[in-house]
Amino acid sequence: MHPRRKNKGTMAGTILVTLIIFSSIFGIVFTFLTIRNKERLVLIENGADAKLFNSEKKCSFGQFVLDLVLLAIGMGIGVLVGEMFHHNGMEDSGTSISCIFLF
């Protein structure tokens, strides 16, 4: 069997999985925003105050730094676990990358 024919099947599968993932994410975000808008309209029609939607919750610089530090720690743990998997016999088919996104 020609090696290029083998790649076409895996390429189609990769494209299909990518499209499914992105369409799922789009569907979830679209549904969330649509339902949130409908809830707000119903509350306004029932006489709720518009200030209810202003949370006035501002993110401080310290909170932003803490978020970045926790993200960096998670990425470091992911790299460490991925490399441990790689050295213990797993093939290098994205173990580090998958563990980074896992942690």
Coordinates of all heavy atoms in Angstrom, one line a residue:
M1 N 0.9 -1.2 0.0 CA 0.0 0.0 0.0 C 0.9 1.2 0.0 O 1.9 1.3 0.7 CB -0.9 0.0 1.2 CG -1.8 1.2 1.2 SD -2.9 1.2 2.6 CE -4.2 0.1 2.1
H2 N 0.5 2.2 -0.8 CA 1.3 3.4 -0.9 C 1.1 4.3 0.4 O 0.0 4.4 0.9 CB 0.7 4.2 -2.1 CG 1.7 5.2 -2.6 ND1 1.7 6.5 -2.1 CD2 2.7 5.1 -3.5 CE1 2.7 7.2 -2.7 NE2 3.3 6.4 -3.6
P3 N 2.2 4.8 0.9 CA 2.1 5.6 2.2 C 1.2 6.8 2.1 O 0.7 7.2 3.1 CB 3.6 6.0 2.5 CG 4.4 5.5 1.4 CD 3.6 4.7 0.4
R4 N 1.1 7.4 0.9 CA 0.2 8.6 0.9 C -1.2 8.2 1.0 O -2.0 9.0 1.6 CB 0.4 9.3 -0.5 CG 1.8 9.9 -0.6 CD 1.9 10.8 -1.8 NE 3.2 11.3 -1.9 CZ 3.6 12.2 -2.8 NH1 2.7 12.6 -3.7 NH2 4.8 12.6 -2.8
R5 N -1.7 7.1 0.6 CA -3.1 6.7 0.8 C -3.4 6.5 2.3 O -4.5 6.8 2.7 CB -3.3 5.4 0.0 CG -3.4 5.6 -1.4 CD -3.7 4.3 -2.1 NE -3.5 4.4 -3.5 CZ -4.5 4.4 -4.4 NH1 -5.7 4.2 -4.0 NH2 -4.3 4.5 -5.7
K6 N -2.4 6.0 3.0 CA -2.6 5.8 4.5 C -2.8 7.2 5.2 O -3.6 7.3 6.0 CB -1.4 5.1 5.0 CG -1.5 4.8 6.5 CD -0.3 4.1 7.0 CE -0.4 3.8 8.5 NZ 0.8 3.2 9.0
N7 N -2.1 8.2 4.7 CA -2.2 9.5 5.3 C -3.5 10.2 5.0 O -4.0 11.0 5.8 CB -1.0 10.4 4.9 CG 0.3 10.0 5.5 OD1 0.3 9.3 6.5 ND2 1.4 10.4 4.9
K8 N -4.1 9.9 3.9 CA -5.3 10.5 3.5 C -6.5 10.1 4.5 O -7.3 10.9 4.9 CB -5.7 10.2 2.1 CG -4.9 11.0 1.1 CD -5.4 10.7 -0.3 CE -4.6 11.5 -1.3 NZ -5.0 11.3 -2.7
G9 N -6.5 8.9 4.9 CA -7.5 8.4 5.8 C -7.3 9.0 7.2 O -8.3 9.4 7.8
T10 N -6.1 9.1 7.7 CA -5.9 9.8 9.0 C -6.1 11.3 8.9 O -6.5 11.9 9.9 CB -4.4 9.5 9.5 OG1 -3.5 9.9 8.5 CG2 -4.3 8.0 9.7
M11 N -5.8 11.9 7.7 CA -6.0 13.3 7.6 C -7.5 13.6 7.6 O -7.9 14.6 8.3 CB -5.4 13.8 6.3 CG -5.7 15.3 6.0 SD -4.7 16.2 7.1 CE -3.3 16.5 6.0
A12 N -8.3 12.8 7.0 CA -9.8 13.0 7.0 C -10.3 12.8 8.5 O -11.2 13.6 8.9 CB -10.5 12.0 6.1
G13 N -9.8 11.9 9.2 CA -10.2 11.7 10.6 C -9.8 12.8 11.4 O -10.6 13.3 12.3
T14 N -8.6 13.4 11.2 CA -8.1 14.5 12.0 C -9.0 15.7 11.7 O -9.4 16.5 12.7 CB -6.7 14.8 11.6 OG1 -5.9 13.6 11.9 CG2 -6.1 15.9 12.5
I15 N -9.3 16.0 10.5 CA -10.1 17.1 10.1 C -11.5 16.9 10.7 O -12.1 17.9 11.3 CB -10.2 17.3 8.6 CG1 -8.9 17.7 8.1 CG2 -11.3 18.3 8.2 CD1 -8.8 17.7 6.6
L16 N -12.1 15.7 10.7 CA -13.4 15.5 11.3 C -13.4 15.7 12.8 O -14.3 16.4 13.3 CB -13.9 14.1 10.9 CG -15.2 13.7 11.4 CD1 -16.3 14.5 10.7 CD2 -15.5 12.2 11.1
V17 N -12.4 15.2 13.5 CA -12.4 15.4 14.9 C -12.2 16.9 15.2 O -12.9 17.4 16.2 CB -11.2 14.6 15.5 CG1 -11.0 15.0 16.9 CG2 -11.5 13.1 15.4
T18 N -11.4 17.6 14.5 CA -11.2 19.0 14.7 C -12.5 19.8 14.5 O -12.8 20.7 15.3 CB -10.1 19.6 13.8 OG1 -8.9 18.8 14.0 CG2 -9.8 21.0 14.1
L19 N -13.2 19.5 13.4 CA -14.5 20.2 13.2 C -15.5 19.9 14.3 O -16.2 20.8 14.7 CB -15.0 19.7 11.8 CG -14.3 20.3 10.6 CD1 -14.9 19.7 9.3 CD2 -14.5 21.8 10.6
I20 N -15.5 18.6 14.8 CA -16.5 18.3 15.8 C -16.1 19.0 17.1 O -17.0 19.6 17.8 CB -16.5 16.8 16.1 CG1 -17.1 16.1 14.9 CG2 -17.1 16.4 17.4 CD1 -17.0 14.5 14.9
I21 N -14.9 19.1 17.5 CA -14.5 19.8 18.7 C -14.8 21.3 18.6 O -15.5 21.9 19.5 CB -13.0 19.7 18.9 CG1 -12.7 18.2 19.4 CG2 -12.5 20.6 20.0 CD1 -11.2 17.9 19.5
F22 N -14.5 22.0 17.5 CA -14.8 23.4 17.4 C -16.3 23.7 17.3 O -16.8 24.7 17.8 CB -14.0 24.0 16.2 CG -12.6 24.3 16.5 CD1 -11.6 23.6 15.8 CD2 -12.2 25.2 17.5 CE1 -10.3 23.8 16.1 CE2 -10.9 25.4 17.8 CZ -9.9 24.7 17.1
S23 N -17.0 22.8 16.6 CA -18.5 23.0 16.5 C -19.1 22.8 17.9 O -20.1 23.5 18.2 CB -19.1 22.2 15.4 OG -18.9 20.8 15.8
S24 N -18.6 21.9 18.7 CA -19.1 21.7 20.0 C -18.9 22.9 20.9 O -19.8 23.3 21.6 CB -18.5 20.4 20.6 OG -18.8 19.3 19.9
I25 N -17.7 23.4 20.8 CA -17.3 24.6 21.6 C -18.2 25.8 21.2 O -18.7 26.5 22.0 CB -15.8 24.9 21.5 CG1 -15.0 23.9 22.2 CG2 -15.5 26.3 22.1 CD1 -13.5 24.0 21.9
F26 N -18.4 26.0 19.9 CA -19.2 27.0 19.4 C -20.7 26.9 19.9 O -21.3 27.8 20.3 CB -19.2 27.1 17.9 CG -20.2 28.1 17.3 CD1 -19.9 29.4 17.3 CD2 -21.4 27.6 16.7 CE1 -20.9 30.3 16.8 CE2 -22.3 28.5 16.2 CZ -22.0 29.9 16.2
G27 N -21.2 25.6 19.8 CA -22.5 25.4 20.2 C -22.7 25.7 21.7 O -23.8 26.2 22.1
I28 N -21.8 25.3 22.5 CA -21.9 25.6 24.0 C -21.9 27.1 24.3 O -22.7 27.6 25.0 CB -20.8 24.8 24.7 CG1 -21.0 23.3 24.7 CG2 -20.7 25.3 26.2 CD1 -19.9 22.5 25.2
V29 N -21.0 27.8 23.7 CA -20.9 29.2 23.9 C -22.1 29.9 23.3 O -22.7 30.8 24.0 CB -19.6 29.8 23.2 CG1 -19.6 31.3 23.2 CG2 -18.4 29.3 24.0
F30 N -22.6 29.6 22.2 CA -23.7 30.2 21.6 C -25.0 29.9 22.4 O -25.8 30.9 22.7 CB -24.0 29.6 20.2 CG -25.2 30.2 19.5 CD1 -25.1 31.5 19.0 CD2 -26.3 29.5 19.4 CE1 -26.2 32.1 18.3 CE2 -27.4 30.0 18.7 CZ -27.4 31.3 18.2
T31 N -25.1 28.7 22.9 CA -26.3 28.4 23.8 C -26.2 29.2 25.1 O -27.2 29.7 25.5 CB -26.3 26.9 24.0 OG1 -26.4 26.2 22.8 CG2 -27.5 26.5 24.9
F32 N -25.0 29.3 25.7 CA -24.9 30.0 26.9 C -25.3 31.5 26.7 O -26.0 32.0 27.5 CB -23.5 29.9 27.4 CG -23.2 30.8 28.6 CD1 -23.6 30.4 29.9 CD2 -22.4 31.9 28.4 CE1 -23.4 31.2 30.9 CE2 -22.1 32.7 29.5 CZ -22.6 32.4 30.8
L33 N -24.7 32.1 25.7 CA -25.0 33.5 25.5 C -26.5 33.7 25.1 O -27.1 34.7 25.5 CB -24.1 34.1 24.4 CG -22.6 34.1 24.7 CD1 -21.8 34.6 23.5 CD2 -22.4 35.0 25.9
T34 N -27.1 32.9 24.3 CA -28.5 33.0 24.0 C -29.4 32.9 25.2 O -30.3 33.7 25.4 CB -28.9 32.0 22.9 OG1 -28.0 32.1 21.8 CG2 -30.3 32.1 22.5
I35 N -29.2 31.9 26.0 CA -30.0 31.7 27.2 C -29.8 32.8 28.2 O -30.8 33.3 28.8 CB -29.7 30.3 27.8 CG1 -30.2 29.2 26.9 CG2 -30.3 30.2 29.2 CD1 -29.8 27.8 27.4
R36 N -28.6 33.3 28.3 CA -28.3 34.4 29.3 C -29.1 35.7 28.8 O -29.7 36.4 29.6 CB -26.8 34.7 29.3 CG -26.5 35.8 30.4 CD -25.0 36.0 30.4 NE -24.6 36.6 29.2 CZ -23.4 37.2 29.1 NH1 -22.5 37.1 30.0 NH2 -23.0 37.7 27.9
N37 N -29.1 35.9 27.5 CA -29.8 37.1 27.0 C -31.3 36.9 27.2 O -32.0 37.9 27.6 CB -29.5 37.2 25.5 CG -30.0 38.5 24.9 OD1 -30.1 39.5 25.6 ND2 -30.3 38.5 23.6
K38 N -31.9 35.7 27.0 CA -33.3 35.5 27.2 C -33.7 35.7 28.6 O -34.7 36.3 29.0 CB -33.7 34.1 26.7 CG -33.7 34.0 25.2 CD -34.1 32.6 24.7 CE -34.1 32.5 23.2 NZ -34.5 31.2 22.8
E39 N -32.8 35.2 29.6 CA -33.1 35.4 31.0 C -33.1 36.9 31.4 O -34.0 37.3 32.1 CB -32.0 34.7 31.8 CG -32.2 33.2 32.0 CD -31.1 32.7 33.0 OE1 -30.6 33.4 33.8 OE2 -30.8 31.5 32.8
R40 N -32.2 37.6 30.8 CA -32.1 39.0 31.1 C -33.4 39.8 30.6 O -33.9 40.6 31.3 CB -30.9 39.7 30.6 CG -29.6 39.2 31.3 CD -28.4 39.9 30.7 NE -27.2 39.5 31.5 CZ -26.1 40.0 31.4 NH1 -25.8 41.0 30.5 NH2 -25.0 39.7 32.1
L41 N -33.8 39.4 29.4 CA -35.0 40.0 28.9 C -36.2 39.7 29.7 O -37.1 40.6 30.0 CB -35.2 39.6 27.4 CG -34.3 40.2 26.4 CD1 -34.5 39.5 25.0 CD2 -34.4 41.7 26.3
V42 N -36.3 38.5 30.2 CA -37.5 38.1 31.0 C -37.4 38.9 32.4 O -38.5 39.3 32.8 CB -37.5 36.6 31.3 CG1 -38.5 36.2 32.4 CG2 -37.9 35.9 30.0
L43 N -36.3 39.0 32.9 CA -36.1 39.7 34.2 C -36.5 41.2 34.0 O -37.1 41.8 34.9 CB -34.7 39.6 34.8 CG -34.4 38.2 35.4 CD1 -32.9 38.2 35.8 CD2 -35.3 38.0 36.6
I44 N -36.0 41.8 32.9 CA -36.4 43.2 32.7 C -37.9 43.4 32.4 O -38.5 44.3 32.9 CB -35.5 43.7 31.5 CG1 -34.1 43.8 31.9 CG2 -36.1 45.1 31.0 CD1 -33.1 44.2 30.8
E45 N -38.5 42.4 31.7 CA -39.9 42.5 31.5 C -40.7 42.4 32.8 O -41.8 43.0 32.9 CB -40.4 41.4 30.5 CG -40.0 41.7 29.1 CD -40.3 40.5 28.2 OE1 -40.9 39.5 28.7 OE2 -40.0 40.6 27.0
N46 N -40.2 41.6 33.7 CA -40.9 41.5 35.0 C -40.5 42.6 36.0 O -41.0 42.6 37.1 CB -40.5 40.1 35.7 CG -41.1 39.0 34.9 OD1 -42.1 39.1 34.2 ND2 -40.5 37.8 35.0
G47 N -39.8 43.6 35.6 CA -39.5 44.7 36.4 C -38.3 44.7 37.3 O -38.1 45.5 38.2
A48 N -37.3 43.9 36.9 CA -36.1 43.8 37.7 C -35.2 45.1 37.3 O -35.4 45.6 36.2 CB -35.3 42.6 37.3
D49 N -34.4 45.5 38.2 CA -33.6 46.7 38.0 C -32.4 46.3 37.0 O -31.8 45.2 37.1 CB -33.0 47.2 39.3 CG -32.4 48.5 39.2 OD1 -32.6 49.2 38.1 OD2 -31.6 48.9 40.1
A50 N -32.0 47.2 36.2 CA -30.9 46.9 35.2 C -29.6 46.8 35.9 O -28.6 46.3 35.4 CB -30.9 48.0 34.2
K51 N -29.5 47.4 37.1 CA -28.2 47.3 37.9 C -27.9 45.9 38.3 O -26.8 45.6 38.8 CB -28.2 48.3 39.1 CG -28.2 49.7 38.7 CD -28.2 50.6 39.9 CE -28.2 52.0 39.4 NZ -28.2 52.9 40.6
L52 N -28.9 45.0 38.2 CA -28.7 43.6 38.6 C -27.6 43.0 37.8 O -26.9 42.1 38.3 CB -30.0 42.9 38.5 CG -30.0 41.4 38.8 CD1 -29.8 41.2 40.3 CD2 -31.3 40.8 38.3
F53 N -27.5 43.4 36.5 CA -26.5 42.8 35.6 C -25.1 43.3 35.7 O -24.2 42.7 35.2 CB -27.0 42.9 34.2 CG -28.4 42.4 34.0 CD1 -29.4 43.2 33.6 CD2 -28.7 41.1 34.3 CE1 -30.7 42.7 33.4 CE2 -30.0 40.6 34.2 CZ -31.0 41.4 33.7
N54 N -24.9 44.4 36.4 CA -23.6 45.0 36.6 C -23.0 44.4 37.9 O -23.4 44.8 39.0 CB -23.7 46.5 36.7 CG -24.1 47.1 35.4 OD1 -23.9 46.5 34.3 ND2 -24.7 48.3 35.4
S55 N -22.1 43.5 37.7 CA -21.6 42.9 38.9 C -20.5 43.7 39.6 O -20.2 43.5 40.8 CB -21.0 41.5 38.6 OG -19.9 41.7 37.7
E56 N -19.9 44.7 38.9 CA -18.9 45.6 39.4 C -17.8 44.8 40.0 O -17.1 45.3 41.0 CB -19.5 46.6 40.4 CG -20.4 47.6 39.7 CD -20.9 48.6 40.6 OE1 -20.2 48.9 41.7 OE2 -22.0 49.2 40.4
K57 N -17.5 43.6 39.6 CA -16.5 42.8 40.1 C -15.3 43.0 39.2 O -15.2 42.5 38.1 CB -16.9 41.3 40.1 CG -15.9 40.4 40.8 CD -16.5 39.0 40.8 CE -15.5 38.0 41.5 NZ -16.0 36.7 41.5
K58 N -14.3 43.7 39.6 CA -13.1 44.0 38.8 C -12.0 43.1 39.3 O -11.8 42.8 40.5 CB -12.7 45.4 38.9 CG -13.8 46.4 38.4 CD -13.3 47.8 38.5 CE -14.4 48.7 37.9 NZ -14.1 50.1 38.1
C59 N -11.2 42.6 38.3 CA -10.1 41.8 38.6 C -8.9 42.6 39.0 O -8.5 43.5 38.2 CB -9.8 40.9 37.4 SG -8.5 39.7 37.7
S60 N -8.3 42.4 40.1 CA -7.2 43.2 40.6 C -5.9 42.6 39.9 O -5.9 41.5 39.4 CB -7.0 43.1 42.1 OG -6.7 41.8 42.5
F61 N -4.8 43.3 40.0 CA -3.6 42.9 39.5 C -3.1 41.7 40.2 O -2.5 40.8 39.5 CB -2.5 44.0 39.5 CG -1.2 43.7 39.0 CD1 -1.1 43.6 37.6 CD2 -0.1 43.4 39.8 CE1 0.2 43.2 37.1 CE2 1.1 43.1 39.3 CZ 1.3 43.0 37.9
G62 N -3.2 41.6 41.5 CA -2.8 40.4 42.2 C -3.5 39.2 41.8 O -2.9 38.1 41.7
Q63 N -4.8 39.3 41.5 CA -5.6 38.1 41.1 C -5.1 37.7 39.7 O -5.0 36.5 39.4 CB -7.1 38.5 41.0 CG -8.0 37.4 40.6 CD -8.1 36.2 41.6 OE1 -8.0 36.5 42.8 NE2 -8.2 35.0 41.1
F64 N -4.8 38.6 38.8 CA -4.3 38.3 37.5 C -3.0 37.6 37.6 O -2.7 36.6 36.9 CB -4.2 39.6 36.7 CG -3.6 39.3 35.3 CD1 -4.4 38.7 34.3 CD2 -2.3 39.8 35.0 CE1 -3.8 38.5 33.1 CE2 -1.8 39.5 33.7 CZ -2.6 38.9 32.8
V65 N -2.1 38.0 38.5 CA -0.8 37.4 38.6 C -0.9 36.0 39.2 O -0.3 35.1 38.8 CB 0.1 38.3 39.5 CG1 1.4 37.5 39.9 CG2 0.5 39.6 38.8
L66 N -1.8 35.8 40.2 CA -2.1 34.5 40.8 C -2.6 33.6 39.7 O -2.2 32.4 39.7 CB -3.1 34.6 41.9 CG -3.5 33.3 42.6 CD1 -2.3 32.8 43.3 CD2 -4.6 33.6 43.6
D67 N -3.5 34.0 38.9 CA -4.0 33.2 37.8 C -2.9 32.7 36.8 O -2.8 31.6 36.4 CB -5.1 33.9 37.0 CG -6.4 34.0 37.7 OD1 -6.5 33.4 38.8 OD2 -7.2 34.9 37.3
L68 N -2.0 33.7 36.5 CA -0.9 33.3 35.6 C 0.1 32.3 36.3 O 0.6 31.4 35.6 CB -0.1 34.6 35.2 CG -0.8 35.5 34.2 CD1 0.1 36.7 33.9 CD2 -1.0 34.7 32.9
V69 N 0.3 32.5 37.6 CA 1.2 31.6 38.3 C 0.6 30.2 38.4 O 1.3 29.2 38.1 CB 1.5 32.2 39.7 CG1 2.2 31.1 40.6 CG2 2.4 33.4 39.6
L70 N -0.7 30.1 38.6 CA -1.3 28.8 38.7 C -1.3 28.1 37.3 O -1.1 26.9 37.2 CB -2.7 28.9 39.2 CG -2.8 29.3 40.7 CD1 -4.3 29.5 41.1 CD2 -2.2 28.2 41.6
L71 N -1.5 28.9 36.3 CA -1.4 28.4 34.9 C 0.0 27.8 34.6 O 0.2 26.7 34.1 CB -1.8 29.4 33.9 CG -1.7 29.0 32.4 CD1 -2.7 28.0 32.1 CD2 -1.8 30.2 31.5
A72 N 1.0 28.6 35.0 CA 2.4 28.1 34.8 C 2.7 26.9 35.6 O 3.4 26.0 35.1 CB 3.4 29.3 35.2
I73 N 2.2 26.8 36.8 CA 2.4 25.6 37.6 C 1.8 24.4 37.0 O 2.4 23.3 36.9 CB 1.9 25.8 39.1 CG1 2.8 26.8 39.8 CG2 1.8 24.5 39.8 CD1 2.3 27.2 41.2
G74 N 0.6 24.6 36.5 CA -0.1 23.5 35.8 C 0.6 23.0 34.6 O 0.7 21.8 34.3
M75 N 1.1 24.0 33.8 CA 1.9 23.6 32.6 C 3.1 22.9 33.0 O 3.5 21.9 32.3 CB 2.2 24.9 31.8 CG 1.0 25.5 31.1 SD 1.3 27.0 30.2 CE 2.4 26.4 28.9
G76 N 3.8 23.3 34.0 CA 5.0 22.6 34.5 C 4.8 21.2 34.9 O 5.5 20.3 34.6
I77 N 3.7 21.0 35.6 CA 3.3 19.7 36.1 C 3.0 18.8 34.8 O 3.3 17.6 34.8 CB 2.1 19.7 37.1 CG1 2.6 20.3 38.4 CG2 1.6 18.3 37.3 CD1 1.5 20.6 39.4
G78 N 2.3 19.4 33.9 CA 1.9 18.7 32.7 C 3.2 18.2 31.9 O 3.2 17.1 31.4
V79 N 4.2 19.1 31.8 CA 5.4 18.8 31.1 C 6.1 17.6 31.9 O 6.6 16.7 31.3 CB 6.3 20.0 31.0 CG1 7.7 19.6 30.5 CG2 5.7 21.0 30.0
L80 N 6.2 17.7 33.2 CA 6.8 16.7 34.0 C 6.2 15.4 33.8 O 6.8 14.4 33.6 CB 6.8 17.2 35.5 CG 7.5 16.2 36.4 CD1 9.0 16.2 36.2 CD2 7.2 16.6 37.8
V81 N 4.8 15.3 33.9 CA 4.1 14.0 33.8 C 4.3 13.5 32.4 O 4.5 12.3 32.2 CB 2.7 14.2 34.2 CG1 1.8 13.0 33.9 CG2 2.5 14.5 35.7
G82 N 4.2 14.4 31.4 CA 4.4 13.9 30.0 C 5.7 13.3 29.7 O 5.9 12.3 29.1
E83 N 6.8 13.9 30.3 CA 8.1 13.4 30.1 C 8.3 12.1 30.9 O 9.0 11.2 30.4 CB 9.2 14.4 30.6 CG 9.3 15.6 29.6 CD 9.7 15.1 28.2 OE1 10.6 14.3 28.1 OE2 9.1 15.6 27.3
M84 N 7.6 12.0 32.0 CA 7.7 10.7 32.8 C 7.0 9.6 32.0 O 7.5 8.5 31.9 CB 7.0 10.8 34.1 CG 7.8 11.6 35.1 SD 7.1 11.9 36.8 CE 5.8 10.8 37.0
F85 N 5.9 9.9 31.3 CA 5.3 8.9 30.5 C 6.2 8.5 29.3 O 6.3 7.4 28.9 CB 3.9 9.4 29.9 CG 2.8 9.4 30.9 CD1 1.7 10.3 30.7 CD2 2.7 8.5 31.9 CE1 0.7 10.3 31.6 CE2 1.7 8.5 32.8 CZ 0.7 9.4 32.6
H86 N 6.8 9.5 28.7 CA 7.7 9.3 27.6 C 8.9 8.4 28.0 O 9.2 7.5 27.3 CB 8.2 10.6 27.0 CG 9.2 10.4 25.9 ND1 8.8 9.9 24.7 CD2 10.5 10.7 25.8 CE1 9.8 9.9 23.9 NE2 10.9 10.4 24.5
H87 N 9.5 8.6 29.1 CA 10.6 7.9 29.6 C 10.2 6.5 30.1 O 11.1 5.6 30.1 CB 11.4 8.6 30.7 CG 12.2 9.8 30.1 ND1 13.2 9.7 29.3 CD2 12.0 11.1 30.3 CE1 13.7 10.9 29.0 NE2 13.0 11.8 29.6
N88 N 9.0 6.3 30.4 CA 8.6 5.0 30.9 C 8.0 4.1 29.7 O 7.3 3.1 30.0 CB 7.5 5.1 32.0 CG 8.1 5.5 33.3 OD1 9.3 5.2 33.5 ND2 7.4 6.3 34.1
G89 N 8.2 4.5 28.5 CA 7.9 3.6 27.4 C 6.7 4.0 26.5 O 6.5 3.4 25.5
M90 N 6.0 5.1 26.8 CA 4.9 5.5 25.9 C 5.6 6.2 24.7 O 6.6 6.8 24.8 CB 4.0 6.5 26.6 CG 3.0 5.9 27.5 SD 1.8 7.1 28.1 CE 0.7 7.1 26.8
E91 N 4.9 6.0 23.5 CA 5.4 6.6 22.3 C 5.3 8.1 22.4 O 4.4 8.6 23.1 CB 4.7 6.0 21.1 CG 4.9 4.6 20.9 CD 4.2 4.1 19.7 OE1 3.7 4.9 18.9 OE2 4.1 2.9 19.5
D92 N 6.1 8.8 21.7 CA 6.1 10.3 21.7 C 5.0 10.8 20.7 O 5.4 11.4 19.7 CB 7.5 10.8 21.4 CG 7.5 12.3 21.7 OD1 6.7 12.8 22.5 OD2 8.4 13.0 21.1
S93 N 3.8 10.5 21.0 CA 2.7 10.9 20.1 C 1.9 12.0 20.7 O 0.7 12.0 20.7 CB 1.8 9.7 19.7 OG 1.3 9.2 20.9
G94 N 2.6 12.9 21.4 CA 2.0 14.0 22.0 C 1.7 13.9 23.5 O 0.8 14.5 24.0
T95 N 2.5 13.0 24.1 CA 2.2 12.8 25.6 C 2.5 14.1 26.4 O 1.7 14.4 27.3 CB 3.1 11.7 26.1 OG1 4.5 12.0 25.8 CG2 2.8 10.3 25.5
S96 N 3.5 14.8 26.0 CA 3.8 16.1 26.8 C 2.7 17.1 26.5 O 2.2 17.7 27.5 CB 5.2 16.6 26.4 OG 6.2 15.8 26.7
I97 N 2.3 17.2 25.3 CA 1.3 18.2 24.9 C 0.0 17.9 25.6 O -0.7 18.7 26.2 CB 1.1 18.3 23.4 CG1 2.4 18.7 22.7 CG2 0.0 19.3 23.1 CD1 2.9 20.1 23.0
S98 N -0.4 16.6 25.5 CA -1.7 16.2 26.1 C -1.7 16.4 27.6 O -2.7 16.8 28.2 CB -2.1 14.8 25.7 OG -1.1 13.9 26.2
C99 N -0.5 16.1 28.3 CA -0.5 16.3 29.7 C -0.5 17.8 30.1 O -1.0 18.1 31.2 CB 0.8 15.6 30.3 SG 0.6 13.8 30.3
I100 N 0.1 18.6 29.3 CA 0.1 20.1 29.5 C -1.4 20.5 29.6 O -1.8 21.2 30.5 CB 0.9 20.8 28.5 CG1 2.4 20.6 28.7 CG2 0.5 22.3 28.6 CD1 3.2 21.2 27.6
F101 N -2.2 20.1 28.6 CA -3.6 20.5 28.6 C -4.4 19.8 29.6 O -5.4 20.3 30.0 CB -4.2 20.3 27.2 CG -3.7 21.2 26.1 CD1 -3.0 20.8 25.0 CD2 -3.8 22.6 26.3 CE1 -2.5 21.7 24.1 CE2 -3.3 23.5 25.4 CZ -2.7 23.0 24.3
L102 N -3.9 18.7 30.1 CA -4.7 17.9 31.1 C -4.5 18.6 32.5 O -5.5 18.7 33.2 CB -4.2 16.5 31.2 CG -4.8 15.6 32.2 CD1 -6.3 15.4 31.8 CD2 -4.1 14.3 32.3
F103 N -3.3 19.1 32.8 CA -3.1 19.7 34.0 C -3.2 21.2 33.9 O -3.3 22.0 34.8 CB -1.7 19.4 34.6 CG -1.6 17.9 35.0 CD1 -1.0 17.0 34.2 CD2 -2.1 17.5 36.2 CE1 -0.9 15.7 34.6 CE2 -2.1 16.2 36.6 CZ -1.4 15.3 35.8

